[in-house]
Amino acid sequence: WASFSDKQGDDFIGLNLGYGFGNNEFATENMFFLNGKMHKLDDVKFYIPVKNNKKDFLDKWIIKDSKGLIDLTFTPTLNRYSNTQLLVVQSKQNQVFGYFSGTIKLDDNNTFKIDKAFGFAEEVYNRW
């Protein structure tokens, strides 16, 4: 999941992206908001860097979608990590805060440039 809300110049923007859960066949939570107007986005993928066979959550992530509408870089500043395990129940979370930069192609085919919008992206594993 990733999200931010920001003001860039005179524009109010927001983003919500889900990756790895839910059924996107009929609906999606992947949306970009520009001055109160929603722009539906397609399925996304978060490319988290790997170093020494482990995900490096504090290195730059790349976020893209299947239609070429999203081209974002996420630059982390802090990883709020937790790993809670109680018998068979487990919740392992990397909730990473940082800055989004890049472009989003809108419904009208214009491209909106995003410059250091502060938000979060996360990878969460839950077992119950």
Side-chain angles (χ1 to χ4, degrees):
W1 180 26
S3 183
F4 69 71
S5 296
D6 199 14
K7 184 171 189 243
Q8 303 221 329
D10 293 330
D11 295 310
F12 293 94
I13 61 173
L15 179 77
N16 189 79
L17 300 175
Y19 169 55
F21 61 92
N23 179 351
N24 290 337
E25 184 177 351
F26 301 107
T28 179
E29 69 274 298
N30 297 337
M31 302 291 285
F32 178 69
F33 301 89
L34 175 60
N35 298 318
K37 183 177 180 201
M38 297 180 298
H39 298 268
K40 186 177 182 313
L41 302 170
D42 210 52
D43 292 340
V44 296
K45 184 161 184 178
F46 299 174
Y47 297 92
I48 303 167
V50 175
K51 290 184 182 166
N52 298 322
N53 295 321
K54 272 182 71 175
K55 290 182 179 175
D56 184 354
F57 290 98
L58 290 174
D59 199 355
K60 288 184 180 181
W61 304 20
I62 302 297
I63 301 172
K64 301 231 181 224
D65 73 315
S66 57
K67 290 187 178 174
L69 303 176
I70 302 171
D71 185 10
L72 294 175
T73 299
F74 176 64
T75 304
T77 58
L78 173 74
N79 182 8
R80 190 194 69 78
Y81 172 79
S82 76
N83 186 6
T84 304
Q85 190 163 0
L86 302 166
L87 300 172
V88 297
V89 175
Q90 181 179 15
S91 181
K92 185 175 181 179
Q93 304 174 3
N94 286 278
Q95 185 180 42
V96 184
F97 297 88
Y99 295 92
F100 293 84
S101 295
T103 58
I104 303 239
K105 193 170 185 181
L106 307 174
D107 296 338
D108 61 7
N109 284 328
N110 286 317
T111 300
F112 189 87
K113 185 174 191 274
I114 298 164
D115 185 32
K116 293 184 179 176
F118 187 76
F120 73 90
E122 65 183 20
E123 181 180 85
V124 175
Y125 168 78
N126 290 312
R127 181 185 67 210
W128 54 85

